Amino acid sequence: MGQFIIKRVGVMLLTAACLTFIVFFLTNLYPNLEKLAKTQGNNRMSDAEVASWLDKHGYNQSTVKKYGEWLGVVPSRKFTTESGTTYTRCSRPDIRPEDAPDYCGLLQGNWGYSSVFKEEVSGIVSKRLGLTGYLMGAVLMVMIPMALIIGVVAGMREGTRTDRTLSTFAIATTATPEYVSGILFIVIFASSKMGLSPLFAEWGLIDSRTILKGSATSAMVDITFVNFTLPVMALALYGMGYIARMTRASMAEVMTAQYIRTARLKGVSFYNIVVKHALRNALIAPFTVIMLQIPWLLTGVVIVETMFNYKGFGWALVQAASNNDIELLLGISVVAVVVVLITQLISDIGYVFLNPRIRVN
Amino acid sequence: MDPLTSLQIFGNILYQLLPVWTGMAAIFALSFATRRKTALYGKLFDSPIGMAGFALVLFWVLTAIFADAIMTFDPLSQVSGMKNKVPGTPLRGATEQDYQWYLLGGDNLARDVFSRVVAGARIVLTISPLATVFAFMVGITLGLPAGYFRGRMDTVLSFIANLVLAFPVILLFYLLVTPEIRAAGAEIQIWGGKTWITSIPNLMAAALFIFPIIFFCTLWQSKYYTRPQMRNVLVGITLLLGLWAYSGLAFNADPLGVFQMDANKLNIFVSVVFVNSPTVFRVVRGLTMDIKTRDYVAAAQTRGEGPWYIMLWEILPNARGPLIVDFCLRIGYTTILLGTLGFFGLGLSPESPDWGSTINEGRKLLTIYAHPALPPAIALMSMVLGLNLLADGLREQTLRD
């Protein structure tokens, strides 16, 4: 087991290094750097001025060396401006150049400086990640119980009308990406002109003009049912269908097993068969699926945060990418990649732990 | 002219879609009559879910085919005074030849929403299936040997596949689909006096688009190498057609100008193929490892058949059930991906009528005017739903044998 975990962690670190290098390479392509020079310097720079700006700021070194500096395994190069001040990528307005350390990369906890927000990347990332944490937490709390209940109920009596209805519902949710369900929800619940809100307002059931809010900006300060339901539902709905279908398949398979038949022949009640005998074995497969679903939620988070204007991690990704904020985009990528890899690792190890039939040697 | 009532709008849309209904009725009648003779396709008509899915998919396919006849206006032209008008508004200043109403209203640039959804169907239904086909070609060509030979090649390919799969999709799109990346690279001279930029999308296109040619050449070679004449003809035709299309699609330098794709579309297309291939690779690899242990493979090995013959003519046909199911699901997933790209305004030009871009345009004024955003959203959902139901119906039928 120990060896298995070590091997998995090793592969994971290698993958992380490869992925961050790819992101680094793609964000450091020349046209991106040129754009950066023009936004940081001035917009009418000539090609030669752009080249000298990039040279002065250390962007002209080889990508591998830059990657090493960014990671913190290669000492950062020192630059001297015309006015005679020295600086490195570690320099900040409030730190004297002499005090700046030689190595300042990711490994030293220096994530860089955002060119758009004018803040430390690590600060932005942790703040935005916290906000997204609430969203993800709420989504998982809604999504997992719903998916498991639908899957178990559908799978315990395969082929019945309940099974068909629930399975069709699950298929329908997998066909409704967040940007579609978000639009439908806003029109139905959060528009003062259409959907249910005018009706409810007329009947005097609600005080405000709409039932729920179509914007989650206020949820960043204070989460309420009114401002947080729609983004959570939009996200949970799309992710749920897949987990529900996997749970159903797993449950249906377990229900045909010999030991279930034995229990049935012994005269155990159906409720006890499902809850005491089938459920535990049926939930092994969905565990893996749920873990692997978390990275998938990331795309959804970006869509939902953009749509409902909730300024979390996904929103920051869009800001960084569309404003060519290289350092911030790199920081965000690192977090995204690490989240993906850790969930994969947990799902692998957890599967082995949960399933006594698998022996790793 | 008075505005139309809801019922009239509904009636007019049904009438406008007449070619679709005729086509669906004809295909359904024919398929139902011959369903006992057409193997898996015929069995689809035994499952209500499969039939419902097939009907939805067929509806959109026929809409895309007859788009020119169905559209009431040009999807890009703007008519003054029709901005954000509600569904059923009569056209201002309509002449005799014009269609008299905006059936589903006008968007915020005064274009006809109905025509845009129909035109969008054509774009979506060309890119998604085609990108899925390419992803399958790449996945099959690499997945078969990885699953059959295993060894070092499998380790390397699986590692690369996992690498791509570990990449958050949205981040990959933001990095890969940008105007900057299309400009990054050296310009080199190619044939016909044209230039080609060694940008990442172009290089990826050159690498990914070669796979169908490799696949078909290997397919013919492995089966007909004992009949050189037959083999030469088949390989010759494949190379001729394949390289012709390849020169146009990957290098935008088709000498006859039939195959071409603008840089924008190519970028999206390549990214979508790139994201989808690793999953197909894993599916094919898994299936190959499973089928490899069957008796008929051992029989073929004993007969002395070559490895590629066994992979392409023994294993692949026997993996068709799960692959067809996955193909349907994957088209749906690709449609969702394209919609995501459109939603973020990446790739296709903003005035393009594809569903993702239209949803993105429409959502800005969503709480005041819902009619521009709703039709493309529902269109996208219904098409993906159709594909998912179709896949479910097919899965049920393939499992039954």
Side-chain angles (χ1 to χ4, degrees):
Chain A
M1 189 72 198
Q3 222 174 5
F4 168 74
I5 294 178
I6 290 170
K7 204 179 150 198
R8 289 292 316 168
V9 172
V11 173
M12 189 185 111
L13 289 178
L14 184 65
T15 314
C18 288
L19 285 178
T20 46
F21 182 75
I22 294 170
V23 177
F24 194 88
F25 174 75
L26 286 174
T27 47
N28 274 276
L29 285 174
Y30 191 76
N32 286 331
L33 295 178
E34 190 180 347
K35 211 162 118 190
L36 180 78
K38 284 184 176 168
T39 45
Q40 292 298 300
N42 87 59
N43 228 337
R44 287 189 220 139
M45 276 183 176
S46 67
D47 285 353
E49 282 170 320
V50 167
S52 87
W53 189 92
L54 290 177
D55 195 38
K56 232 186 269 172
H57 288 78
Y59 286 109
N60 264 356
Q61 308 171 79
S62 75
T63 312
V64 179
K65 184 153 185 303
K66 275 190 290 183
Y67 178 71
E69 282 186 18
W70 172 79
L71 199 62
V73 291
V74 173
S76 304
R77 216 176 91 186
K78 289 198 163 50
F79 304 97
T80 315
T81 55
E82 294 92 353
S83 49
T85 51
T86 341
Y87 64 95
T88 65
R89 55 168 277 128
C90 324
S91 311
R92 293 292 181 274
D94 51 339
I95 299 176
R96 282 186 308 169
E98 308 84 81
D99 299 342
D102 283 341
Y103 293 88
C104 54
L106 205 65
L107 299 176
Q108 284 80 29
N110 187 328
W111 290 52
Y113 195 73
S114 160
S115 63
V116 171
F117 293 94
K118 306 285 177 213
E119 259 179 79
E120 286 289 333
V121 168
S122 48
I124 301 175
V125 168
S126 59
K127 181 176 154 206
R128 300 297 165 192
L129 207 53
L131 286 170
T132 297
Y134 288 115
L135 184 62
M136 287 286 249
V139 168
L140 292 178
M141 270 187 329
V142 173
M143 182 173 82
I144 294 174
M146 263 168 77
L148 292 184
I149 289 171
I150 290 177
V152 168
V153 171
M156 66 187 189
R157 285 203 179 93
E158 204 186 353
T160 55
R161 183 167 294 170
T162 329
D163 174 29
R164 292 206 176 273
T165 318
L166 288 177
S167 296
T168 312
F169 173 70
I171 295 176
T173 63
T174 54
T176 320
E178 297 87 354
Y179 51 90
V180 169
S181 54
I183 287 208
L184 294 179
F185 285 153
I186 290 180
V187 170
I188 294 172
F189 297 109
S191 162
S192 56
K193 283 191 157 186
M194 283 149 300
L196 298 174
S197 299
L199 218 60
F200 272 48
E202 203 176 301
W203 293 342
L205 291 174
I206 44 170
D207 298 329
S208 55
R209 288 175 59 217
T210 60
I211 305 171
L212 300 168
K213 272 192 185 167
S215 153
T217 314
S218 54
M220 286 156 55
V221 189
D222 175 33
I223 293 171
T224 62
F225 182 75
V226 173
N227 61 22
F228 217 45
T229 309
L230 292 187
V232 170
M233 283 313 292
L235 258 171
L237 200 65
Y238 184 47
M240 195 185 69
Y242 189 61
I243 303 178
R245 284 177 66 67
M246 287 297 151
T247 316
R248 176 190 170 274
S250 165
M251 186 72 190
E253 199 192 317
V254 169
M255 289 304 279
T256 60
Q258 292 293 336
Y259 71 95
I260 296 289
R261 189 196 286 179
T262 311
R264 215 174 257 192
L265 291 175
K266 274 197 315 193
V268 181
S269 71
F270 189 71
Y271 174 82
N272 276 340
I273 290 180
V274 170
V275 174
K276 290 192 179 155
H277 295 257
L279 209 54
R280 207 195 124 162
N281 285 323
L283 292 184
I284 296 173
F287 167 78
T288 324
V289 178
I290 291 170
M291 289 318 292
L292 294 180
Q293 197 74 6
I294 291 173
W296 281 101
L297 282 177
L298 187 74
T299 309
V301 163
V302 182
I303 294 172
V304 162
E305 288 185 358
T306 311
M307 190 167 224
F308 291 93
N309 209 9
Y310 183 75
K311 292 174 180 161
F313 189 69
W315 177 84
L317 189 153
V318 174
Q319 294 304 314
S322 42
N323 292 316
N324 197 33
D325 190 340
I326 294 176
E327 302 264 281
L328 180 57
L329 194 56
L330 278 167
I332 286 174
S333 313
V334 170
V335 175
V337 165
V338 166
V339 168
V340 172
L341 294 176
I342 286 183
T343 49
Q344 279 181 357
L345 188 71
I346 295 177
S347 108
D348 279 7
I349 295 172
Y351 190 73
V352 175
F353 262 117
L354 284 178
N355 195 342
R357 279 172 295 189
I358 294 183
R359 289 276 170 267
V360 184
N361 21 354
Chain B
M1 191 88 57
D2 293 326
L4 297 177
T5 61
S6 309
L7 207 64
Q8 281 172 318
I9 294 174
F10 190 64
N12 273 310
I13 291 178
L14 288 187
Y15 178 72
Q16 208 57 37
L17 291 170
L18 203 61
V20 175
W21 307 130
T22 327
M24 278 176 78
I27 292 174
F28 257 83
L30 198 68
S31 310
F32 205 74
T34 60
R35 71 181 190 284
R36 294 281 164 256
K37 291 174 197 142
T38 45
L40 182 61
Y41 171 71
K43 280 193 206 135
L44 199 61
F45 293 86
D46 292 336
S47 114
I49 285 188
M51 235 168 24
F54 184 65
L56 276 173
V57 174
L58 194 61
F59 171 81
W60 284 113
V61 170
L62 290 173
T63 306
I65 293 173
F66 296 120
D68 289 328
I70 296 168
M71 278 190 284
T72 49
F73 292 91
D74 175 49
L76 298 178
S77 70
Q78 311 177 354
V79 178
S80 72
M82 297 304 286
K83 185 176 164 182
N84 290 328
K85 284 288 181 284
V86 293
T89 310
L91 183 72
R92 181 183 289 183
T95 57
E96 279 293 300
Q97 300 93 328
D98 285 333
Y99 195 77
Q100 301 297 313
W101 304 277
Y102 265 22
L103 282 175
L104 291 175
D107 65 5
N108 68 338
L109 286 172
R111 295 167 301 196
D112 181 36
V113 172
F114 175 71
S115 306
R116 284 177 71 75
V117 172
V118 173
R122 184 170 266 186
I123 297 182
V124 172
L125 275 157
T126 39
I127 298 186
S128 309
L130 212 60
T132 315
V133 167
F134 272 97
F136 262 76
M137 284 286 137
V138 177
I140 289 174
T141 316
L142 296 176
L144 281 174
Y148 189 78
F149 295 123
R150 306 298 304 273
R152 193 160 296 161
M153 184 183 73
D154 179 34
T155 316
V156 172
L157 284 176
S158 294
F159 181 74
I160 296 173
N162 287 337
L163 213 60
V164 180
L165 287 176
F167 231 119
V169 179
I170 190 69
L171 183 66
L172 197 66
F173 277 151
Y174 259 114
L175 293 173
L176 273 183
V177 188
T178 57
E180 283 81 32
I181 203 171
R182 290 198 280 276
E187 232 172 75
I188 52 171
Q189 286 287 332
I190 51 170
W191 61 89
K194 298 194 175 168
T195 54
W196 187 70
I197 302 172
T198 57
S199 64
I200 292 165
N202 279 350
L203 290 171
M204 275 164 60
L208 292 173
F209 290 174
I210 200 87
F211 278 98
I213 305 178
I214 299 178
F215 174 79
F216 280 106
C217 286
T218 326
L219 191 70
W220 307 133
Q221 164 69 17
S222 61
K223 176 135 181 164
Y224 295 112
Y225 68 99
T226 48
R227 291 153 68 189
Q229 212 171 4
M230 177 91 170
R231 191 256 333 254
N232 291 349
V233 170
L234 285 170
V235 171
I237 292 173
T238 308
L239 282 178
L240 188 74
L241 291 176
L243 290 176
W244 178 23
Y246 183 69
S247 67
L249 295 177
F251 293 95
N252 203 12
D254 175 10
L256 301 177
V258 179
F259 294 99
Q260 53 187 351
M261 210 189 262
D262 60 87
N264 224 340
K265 227 183 216 169
L266 184 79
N267 197 173
I268 295 177
F269 193 83
V270 165
S271 311
V272 171
V273 173
F274 183 69
V275 169
N276 271 320
S277 316
T279 331
V280 182
F281 166 82
R282 290 229 291 211
V283 171
V284 175
R285 177 178 167 270
L287 285 169
T288 311
M289 283 177 357
D290 177 26
I291 296 177
K292 206 179 119 182
T293 57
R294 302 283 167 86
D295 287 344
Y296 51 79
V297 173
Q301 282 165 340
T302 320
R303 278 205 310 273
E305 304 283 7
W308 285 98
Y309 175 86
I310 295 174
M311 279 183 249
L312 291 166
W313 294 93
E314 299 278 350
I315 294 177
L316 191 58
N318 285 298
R320 69 185 183 282
L323 286 183
I324 293 172
V325 172
D326 191 64
F327 185 70
C328 290
L329 287 176
R330 203 141 293 283
I331 297 177
Y333 176 64
T334 312
T335 309
I336 290 179
L337 273 187
L338 282 176
T340 311
L341 278 170
F343 179 82
F344 287 111
L346 296 166
L348 289 175
S349 62
E351 71 264 23
S352 146
D354 78 289
W355 296 336
S357 311
T358 332
I359 292 173
N360 184 32
E361 276 295 304
R363 79 186 165 93
K364 286 162 192 159
L365 290 173
L366 193 59
T367 47
I368 316 166
Y369 305 109
H371 62 269
L374 275 182
I378 292 168
L380 192 140
M381 191 175 99
S382 64
M383 193 178 98
V384 180
L385 179 64
L387 285 160
N388 287 1
L389 290 176
L390 182 64
D392 202 58
L394 285 171
R395 179 186 294 132
E396 212 170 90
Q397 297 304 325
T398 51
L399 286 181
R400 203 166 278 179
D401 330 318

